[in-house]
Amino acid sequence: MLEATLMAGSSAKLRRLGAELRRLREAAERTQSELAEVLGRSHVSIVNWEHGKTRIGKSDLHVLLKELGASDDVREELEKLRLAGRSKGWWSVYKLPDWLRPLVSFESDASQITAFEPILIPGLLQTEDYSRAIHLAGPYTTPREVLEKRLELRKGRQRRLVGEHPLELHVVIAESALRLEVGGPAIMADQLWHLVRLASAPNIRIQVLPYRVGAHPAVCGNFAVLHFSDPKLDPPLGYADDAVGGHVIDDPSEVEVLLNMFADVRALALTEPESVDFIATVMDEYRARKT
C-alpha cells in the first residue's frame, strides 16, 4: 500500500537541507545516535531532520554543523535553506487541509510532473467551469464555503505552466476522463478545447489512453510523480489521492513503481498528435449536443 511519510510542513527546501546534513554526517563518519546525544535530542529528531520531515531550529543547526566541522560558507548556505524552508508559500492564505498542503508546496518547487488520470481531467489542465463542477459534485472533500478559495488556489497552481521557467508537464489521460460528462456538454466542449490549445505549448505533453487498450498496469487509479532539478538532493516524489484526501509518497521503491507504471501507460497511449485529434473528435461530439 502506498503511504505518505512526509509531514504537512515538508518542502523541497527542507529535503535539500536534510540531504546536506546527511552528507556532512556521513563524510564526518558520525552516527545519528552520536549526534543526538551531543545535541540532547532523540535519534528520531536527527532522522526527521535528515529526511526533511521536520524543521531544525537555528541553535540546533549551529551546534550540529560545528560538530560536523562544516565551513563558514556551508553554514551560511544551510542557514539560508533552513530559513527558506520555514517561510510560508503563496498558498498559505488558503488554509489548506493537511493532506493538500505538501502537494502544493512540492509542486511549487518541482521542475517536471508526470501523471496518469483515469477519471478526471488533471487539475493543472482544468478550466474554471470544469473545476467548479467537479467540486460541486464532491461536497464532502470541498465544502461549499471554501469552493471559491479552492478555485483561486487551482488557478495559482496553474500559473506554474507559464512564465520564464515553466513547469514541464506530461500527462496520460484515460478516454474515460474525456467521456465523463462534468457540468454538461458545453462545459466539456470548452474543457476539451482547452486541452487542445494547451497541447501546443512546448512544456506540456498530453496523451490519451483509449478504451481499446483494456486493462493496463495503472488500472488501480490516479497518481503523479514530481521531479526536481537536482534529483540527487531532491529525488522524485509520488502523489496519489482518493475520496478522503491525498498522499505524498517518498519511499524510493514505491516511487519507482509509479515511474514504471507511467512508462507503461505512456507506451500504450496514443501518440501526442493522435491524442490531440482524439480529444478534438470527442470535443466535436459535445459541441454537437450543445445545439
Side-chain angles (χ1 to χ4, degrees):
M1 179 178 179
L2 301 174
E3 297 181 349
T5 58
L6 292 175
M7 298 180 66
S10 297
S11 72
K13 295 178 181 64
L14 285 181
R15 283 209 308 158
R16 197 172 303 130
L17 172 59
E20 286 297 312
L21 293 178
R22 184 168 64 252
R23 182 185 63 78
L24 288 170
R25 177 180 59 78
E26 292 172 348
E29 299 183 341
R30 303 292 295 275
T31 67
Q32 293 171 330
S33 297
E34 288 174 346
L35 295 178
E37 185 174 351
V38 170
L39 271 68
R41 299 289 185 178
S42 68
H43 177 264
V44 172
S45 293
I46 306 298
V47 172
N48 286 340
W49 291 341
E50 291 190 356
H51 287 82
K53 296 179 182 179
T54 56
R55 297 183 177 91
I56 183 172
K58 182 176 182 179
S59 59
D60 283 328
L61 181 62
H62 176 78
V63 174
L64 183 58
L65 294 180
K66 184 177 180 180
E67 188 70 20
L68 295 176
S71 66
D72 290 341
D73 288 344
V74 169
R75 294 185 194 184
E76 183 178 347
E77 287 303 312
L78 295 191
E79 174 61 14
K80 288 179 181 178
L81 272 180
R82 188 189 74 83
L83 291 173
R86 187 182 64 180
S87 62
K88 294 183 178 180
W90 62 268
W91 58 89
S92 60
V93 299
Y94 293 100
K95 297 180 181 180
L96 304 180
D98 287 346
W99 62 265
L100 182 56
R101 197 177 305 127
L103 171 65
V104 180
S105 175
F106 285 117
E107 194 177 76
S108 296
D109 287 314
S111 59
Q112 180 188 25
I113 293 178
T114 52
F116 171 68
E117 280 288 351
I119 300 174
L120 300 174
I121 304 301
L124 290 175
L125 304 180
Q126 290 179 8
T127 64
E128 183 174 347
D129 286 341
Y130 179 95
S131 185
R132 178 177 285 103
I134 287 294
H135 285 304
L136 289 173
Y140 300 106
T141 54
T142 307
R144 291 290 182 93
E145 61 269 20
V146 301
L147 173 57
E148 294 306 318
K149 284 291 186 181
R150 291 290 172 82
L151 295 178
E152 289 179 20
L153 171 71
R154 181 150 293 179
K155 286 189 285 187
R157 292 170 56 199
Q158 291 172 345
R159 284 195 284 271
R160 280 295 332 270
L161 296 174
V162 296
E164 188 176 353
H165 301 290
L167 176 72
E168 293 184 12
L169 180 65
H170 186 175
V171 298
V172 175
I173 306 171
E175 180 180 347
S176 51
L178 308 180
R179 301 287 184 185
L180 179 66
E181 188 171 314
V182 174
I187 287 177
M188 286 304 300
D190 289 344
Q191 173 62 73
L192 298 192
W193 175 233
H194 186 59
L195 290 183
V196 170
R197 294 198 310 270
L198 289 175
S200 64
N203 59 308
I204 298 176
R205 302 176 63 187
I206 299 174
Q207 291 181 259
V208 172
L209 188 68
Y211 282 143
R212 66 172 181 267
V213 169
H216 53 81
V219 73
C220 58
N222 72 318
F223 64 87
V225 178
L226 294 83
H227 306 259
F228 304 90
S229 57
D230 190 337
K232 290 184 178 179
L233 291 178
D234 297 318
L237 288 173
Y239 185 82
D241 57 30
D242 53 33
V244 293
H247 311 279
V248 172
I249 302 148
D250 69 339
D251 182 275
S253 63
E254 294 180 343
V255 174
E256 185 67 22
V257 169
L258 298 182
L259 289 170
N260 290 335
M261 288 168 62
F262 183 78
D264 288 345
V265 294
R266 180 185 62 190
L268 291 169
L270 302 174
T271 65
E272 292 171 59
E274 290 171 340
S275 296
V276 171
D277 290 342
F278 191 96
I279 294 169
T281 297
V282 179
M283 175 190 69
D284 288 340
E285 294 172 10
Y286 282 119
R287 284 180 170 172
R289 292 177 51 202
K290 286 169 54 177
T291 57

